[in-house]
């Protein structure tokens, strides 16, 4: 199943982020028609001293800059954790076609929890959303990361 292979790639990015001391979140942006991986990255907030350097923001920025386009209408985003409100809004503004995420985030999520960005009337674009893809593996990585830091 291609969705699981993309999520496994995102998990690899999340593991790399953990190795850099970042919260282990990884993202993969894919051309929805061809399956070509357009960008991949993990969180880099600590490394870059940038609170907006979430994995989702990094792959969106890289792809829009590389294409010279603002909208990514035929693209699918795979991310290991439910996006926060900032990332959910960026996903909407970029007009990403589908969002697949792994672990749910009851504390800071912005899709199924918290702000629920896509449910607001002011949201101009709502992607198709599939949550819980490889959820156990994604959640385990996060739990292990935070357990080691306590």
């Amino acid at each position: 199943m291609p969705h699981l292979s993309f999520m496994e790639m995102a998990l690899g990015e999340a593991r790399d982020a953990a190795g850099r001391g970042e919260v282990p979140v990884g993202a993969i942006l894919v051309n929805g028609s061809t399956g070509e991986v357009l960008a991949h990255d993990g969180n880099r907030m600590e490394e870059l001293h940038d609170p907006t350097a979430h994995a989702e923001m990094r792959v969106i920025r890289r792809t829009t800059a590389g294409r010279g386009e603002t909208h990514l209408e035929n693209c699918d985003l795979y991310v290991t954790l439910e996006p926060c409100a900032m990332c959910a809004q960026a996903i909407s503004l970029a007009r990403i076609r589908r969002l697949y995420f792994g672990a749910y985030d009851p504390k800071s999520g912005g899709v199924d929890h918290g702000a629920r960005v896509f449910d607001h009337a002011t949201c101009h674009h709502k992607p198709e959303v599939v949550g819980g893809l490889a959820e156990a593996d994604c959640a385990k990585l996060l739990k292990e990361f935070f357990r080691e830091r306590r």
Side-chain angles (χ1 to χ4, degrees), residues 27-81:
I28 306 290
L29 194 61
V30 177
N31 179 313
S33 297
T34 67
E36 174 191 3
V37 174
L38 302 170
H40 54 90
D41 210 342
N43 278 353
R44 293 184 183 271
M45 296 178 300
E46 301 302 323
E47 175 187 345
L48 299 175
H49 309 289
D50 179 358
T52 69
H54 293 197
E56 304 95 304
M57 300 294 285
R58 304 258 317 142
V59 298
I60 290 169
R61 287 176 180 150
R62 185 171 296 141
T63 304
T64 55
R67 288 179 153 199
E69 298 175 0
T70 305
H71 298 142
L72 304 172
E73 294 171 340
N74 196 36
C75 294
D76 300 336
L77 177 64
Y78 294 81
V79 62
T80 57
L81 181 64

Side-chain angles (χ1 to χ4, degrees), residues 5-17:
S5 64
F6 290 132
M7 188 56 78
E8 186 56 43
M9 291 174 68
L11 273 162
E13 292 293 335
R15 289 183 194 101
D16 290 348

Side-chain angles (χ1 to χ4, degrees), residues 58-121:
R58 304 258 317 142
V59 298
I60 290 169
R61 287 176 180 150
R62 185 171 296 141
T63 304
T64 55
R67 288 179 153 199
E69 298 175 0
T70 305
H71 298 142
L72 304 172
E73 294 171 340
N74 196 36
C75 294
D76 300 336
L77 177 64
Y78 294 81
V79 62
T80 57
L81 181 64
E82 175 184 349
C84 69
M86 173 186 69
C87 292
Q89 186 62 44
I91 290 164
S92 175
L93 291 170
R95 299 182 191 270
I96 289 174
R97 181 178 73 165
R98 290 190 188 106
L99 165 65
Y100 298 91
F101 68 85
Y104 289 86
D105 188 354
K107 183 178 178 184
S108 300
V111 177
D112 281 353
H113 296 89
R116 296 179 186 234
V117 170
F118 304 139
D119 292 343
H120 290 270

